[in-house]
């Protein structure tokens, strides 16, 4: 039987609607509007597209969007000064610095200057540490989106064998931390893993976050497994994931397509994190169904 195609686009649309409803209630009951500040340095075309679509979806959810564009030759000091102002701004609940930054900027220093409470990307060392130690954190958007899809499809993840391929700070590591917190048995595979197909064959849940077109093959997959494809690879044939979709879908229980799977969940989770940050900064309970 062919695998279920996990419709991340539809799930994300429904998630954005739930966020918009909670934003409206927050405004009506507490007179507060969540605000997201996005900082873009330079003219990177892909970054400009991402920032535009973040801005549009933020406004559509009823939140304030503050865009800050700095020239490519902006200094580290200018960027840090801007982040200092945004940290102090009471209308700004979330701050996102669009990556990559130009080479002359110390990315880690800039990210770690963001207030832990406003770090809606969850990239600061403080939030990564909180997530790793099971404390209340802002969780990186892409793995949060993957977790929401997995919970929706499978319910309880406890005791499941999960293999995360990739160990980056923005996807692989936080994904592994989230699955561990769900009591899955987690293996993190990476470029030095020996016999990756055999490792992946153990998994009830596979999350592929590598950046290699269609690397995960059908005969790597345990029958009935759930496969989440985070990869975004631009090829001559268009956009493809890290998973060989057709071959994997013939074996798996469920698979996310690329495009239309994890991608749309990422921005929806950015909006979710902004709402969460706003609720927390106002001493209100976390919004329903939007946190890890
Ligand atoms: P990264 O380059 O930082 O990390 C890639 C990881 O893959 C590394 O940990 C590396 O060890 C591992 N790897 C490389 N070659 C391997 C191999 N042959 N076998 C096993 N592991 C191997 O990448 P990233 O930032 O984690 O992103 C991964 C992919 O996800 C990219 O395609 C990226 O575009 C995509 N991505 C998508 C979203 C989204 O919103 N859907 C968000 C972030 C990243």
């Amino acid at each position: 039987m062919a695998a279920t195609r996990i419709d991340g686009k539809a799930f994300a649309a429904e998630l954005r609607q739930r966020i918009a409803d909670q934003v409206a209630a927050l405004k009506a009951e507490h007179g507060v509007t969540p605000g997201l500040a996005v900082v873009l340095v330079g003219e990177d075309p892909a970054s400009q597209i991402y920032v535009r679509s973040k801005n549009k979806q933020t406004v559509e959810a009823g939140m304030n969007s503050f865009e800050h564009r700095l020239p490519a030759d902006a200094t580290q000091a200018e960027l840090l000064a801007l982040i200092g102002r945004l940290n102090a701004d009471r209308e700004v609940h979330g701050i996102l610095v669009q990556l990559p930054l130009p080479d002359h900027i110390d990315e880690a220093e800039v990210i770690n200057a963001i207030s832990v409470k406003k770090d809606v990307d969850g990239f600061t060392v403080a939030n990564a540490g909180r997530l790793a130690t099971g404390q209340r954190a802002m969780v990186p958007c892409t793995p949060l989106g993957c977790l929401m899809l997995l919970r929706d499809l499978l319910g309880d993840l406890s005791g499941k064998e999960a293999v995360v391929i990739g160990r980056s700070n923005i996807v692989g590591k936080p994904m592994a931390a989230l699955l561990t917190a769900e009591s899955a048995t987690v293996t993190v595979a990476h470029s030095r893993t020996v016999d990756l197909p055999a490792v992946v064959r153990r998994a009830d849940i596979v999350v592929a976050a590598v950046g290699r077109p269609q690397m995960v093959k059908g005969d790597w997959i345990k029958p009935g497994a759930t496969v989440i494809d985070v990869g975004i690879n631009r090829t001559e044939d268009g956009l493809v994931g890290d998973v060989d979709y057709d071959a994997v879908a013939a074996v798996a229980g469920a698979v996310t397509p690329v495009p239309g799977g994890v991608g749309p969940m990422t921005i929806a989770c950015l909006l979710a994190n902004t709402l969460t940050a706003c609720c927390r900064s106002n001493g209100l309970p976390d919004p329903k169904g939007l946190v890890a």
Side-chain angles (χ1 to χ4, degrees):
M1 211 175 77
T4 302
R5 184 184 177 90
I6 302 172
D7 191 345
K9 196 173 168 197
F11 193 100
E14 186 263 340
L15 181 59
R16 289 198 304 273
Q17 185 56 53
R18 278 195 281 136
I19 293 167
D21 292 346
Q22 294 192 53
V23 168
L26 190 65
K27 276 189 206 174
E29 289 162 26
H30 301 280
V32 184
T33 303
L36 173 67
V38 176
V39 178
L40 176 61
V41 184
E43 313 269 317
D44 180 64
S47 293
Q48 298 207 14
I49 294 170
Y50 288 136
V51 166
R52 215 174 301 136
S53 107
K54 283 168 186 169
N55 172 44
K56 181 168 170 276
Q57 295 189 29
T58 305
V59 171
E60 279 171 5
M63 305 193 200
N64 290 327
S65 171
F66 307 101
E67 226 177 277
H68 294 269
R69 286 172 183 263
L70 272 65
D73 62 355
T75 64
Q76 179 92 3
E78 283 167 338
L79 194 47
L80 290 173
L82 171 60
I83 288 171
R85 288 198 297 279
L86 297 174
N87 280 341
D89 187 335
R90 292 171 62 89
E91 286 197 31
V92 171
H93 304 96
I95 302 171
L96 178 148
V97 176
Q98 184 64 46
L99 302 178
L101 290 168
D103 288 345
H104 67 280
I105 302 280
D106 179 343
E107 206 162 272
E109 189 188 10
V110 169
I111 296 299
N112 285 312
I114 298 170
S115 154
V116 180
K117 293 183 172 154
K118 298 190 178 188
D119 170 28
V120 282
D121 255 342
F123 291 166
T124 60
V125 166
N127 267 315
R130 287 180 182 202
L131 177 60
T133 53
Q135 298 175 60
R136 201 164 82 151
M138 296 304 302
V139 173
C141 303
T142 300
L144 178 58
C146 295
L147 180 69
M148 286 185 186
L149 292 176
L150 285 167
R151 277 186 182 151
D152 180 65
L153 193 77
L154 301 173
D156 187 9
L157 306 182
S158 168
K160 304 255 187 236
E161 283 278 349
V163 172
V164 178
I165 318 175
R167 56 178 163 183
S168 72
N169 290 335
I170 65 168
V171 189
K173 281 183 198 144
M175 189 73 244
L178 287 169
L179 289 165
T180 304
E182 297 287 312
S183 301
T185 303
V186 183
T187 302
V188 179
H190 46 75
S191 52
R192 302 291 177 90
T193 295
V194 175
D195 199 354
L196 183 60
V199 172
V200 174
R201 248 173 242 131
R202 295 205 298 260
D204 304 307
I205 295 168
V206 181
V207 181
V210 181
R212 285 178 178 254
Q214 301 174 320
M215 184 187 82
V216 177
K217 303 298 180 198
D219 64 357
W220 297 19
I221 301 298
K222 176 164 145 183
T226 302
V227 181
I228 305 290
D229 188 354
V230 180
I232 299 178
N233 306 292
R234 282 165 225 287
T235 70
E236 283 176 1
D237 303 328
L239 211 61
V240 299
D242 290 345
V243 170
D244 184 353
Y245 184 90
D246 290 338
V248 166
V251 186
V255 197
T256 58
V258 176
V262 173
M265 292 298 291
T266 297
I267 298 185
C269 286
L270 173 67
L271 305 180
N273 279 349
T274 303
L275 175 57
T276 300
C278 178
C279 290
R280 289 179 183 173
S281 79
N282 283 282
L284 298 167
D286 279 347
K288 289 186 203 76
L290 303 183
V291 292

